[in-house]
Amino acid sequence: MRNYEATFIIRPGTAAEENLTAIIDKYSAVIIAHQGEVTAINRWGLKKLAYLIKKENQGFYLLIRFTIAPNGIKELERLLRIDERILKFLTIKLDDVGQEFLLNDDKTADSPDTPEGEEVETEEEAWDEEDGSGEDESQ
């Protein structure tokens, strides 16, 4: 079994809760049918797309982490290609380094590195302080 991570962009019209649950159940069943296991599902929500995809300017992002046999991933991607509700998808095979990164990422997501009450300066704020004007010169 190999570890994978798949990100889907789903049509916003079909991103209602019951439709979204049906999509997750359908592809989870495909993973399980090929002796796989779904390890995590993250719903990133409705996002504006950088460019039109199939005449849509918004999409619902969904991330699924799972393990599956190599022949099962081919069937999963085949089904994703023919599903009209899926605007785009990307499947990534995770290696050992990727797994360590995900484990570290999950730990740091709940506990930030900065002590409570201490503000972190963003890159934009640092840029504005260096410039001194606080405005973007390209305008």
Side-chain angles (χ1 to χ4, degrees), residues 21-53:
T21 304
I23 291 170
I24 292 170
D25 291 343
K26 176 183 178 179
Y27 294 112
S28 295
V30 171
I31 292 167
I32 292 168
H34 289 88
Q35 293 80 38
E37 177 186 3
V38 176
T39 56
I41 297 174
N42 292 334
R43 298 174 187 206
W44 291 350
L46 192 64
K47 306 276 185 189
K48 186 175 183 319
L49 303 174
Y51 55 90
L52 291 178
I53 301 173

Side-chain angles (χ1 to χ4, degrees), residues 110-123:
D110 296 334
S111 58
D113 292 337
T114 57
E116 286 191 34
E118 183 178 322
E119 291 188 24
V120 178
E121 184 175 342
T122 64
E123 188 175 328

Side-chain angles (χ1 to χ4, degrees), residues 131 133 135-139:
D131 182 27
S133 66
E135 291 185 21
D136 190 9
E137 292 180 18
S138 64
Q139 294 179 355

Side-chain angles (χ1 to χ4, degrees), residues 21-137:
T21 304
I23 291 170
I24 292 170
D25 291 343
K26 176 183 178 179
Y27 294 112
S28 295
V30 171
I31 292 167
I32 292 168
H34 289 88
Q35 293 80 38
E37 177 186 3
V38 176
T39 56
I41 297 174
N42 292 334
R43 298 174 187 206
W44 291 350
L46 192 64
K47 306 276 185 189
K48 186 175 183 319
L49 303 174
Y51 55 90
L52 291 178
I53 301 173
K54 297 182 184 175
K55 299 182 182 179
E56 298 285 349
N57 63 355
Q58 289 186 330
F60 191 91
Y61 281 73
L62 178 69
L63 174 91
I64 300 179
R65 293 183 185 141
F66 55 95
T67 59
I68 195 169
N71 62 349
I73 198 71
K74 290 180 182 179
E75 177 65 15
L76 178 67
E77 288 184 343
R78 184 188 72 80
L79 292 172
L80 287 168
R81 278 188 194 92
I82 61 176
D83 193 342
E84 290 292 322
R85 301 173 294 183
I86 307 296
L87 295 174
K88 277 201 179 281
F89 70 92
L90 177 67
T91 306
I92 301 170
K93 182 178 90 168
L94 300 173
D95 55 5
D96 294 334
V97 175
Q99 283 298 104
E100 289 177 18
F101 175 75
L102 289 176
L103 293 174
N104 291 337
D105 187 40
D106 290 341
K107 290 177 187 173
T108 57
D110 296 334
S111 58
D113 292 337
T114 57
E116 286 191 34
E118 183 178 322
E119 291 188 24
V120 178
E121 184 175 342
T122 64
E123 188 175 328
E124 290 177 358
E125 291 171 345
W127 183 263
D128 288 344
E129 288 177 8
E130 288 176 12
D131 182 27
S133 66
E135 291 185 21
D136 190 9
E137 292 180 18

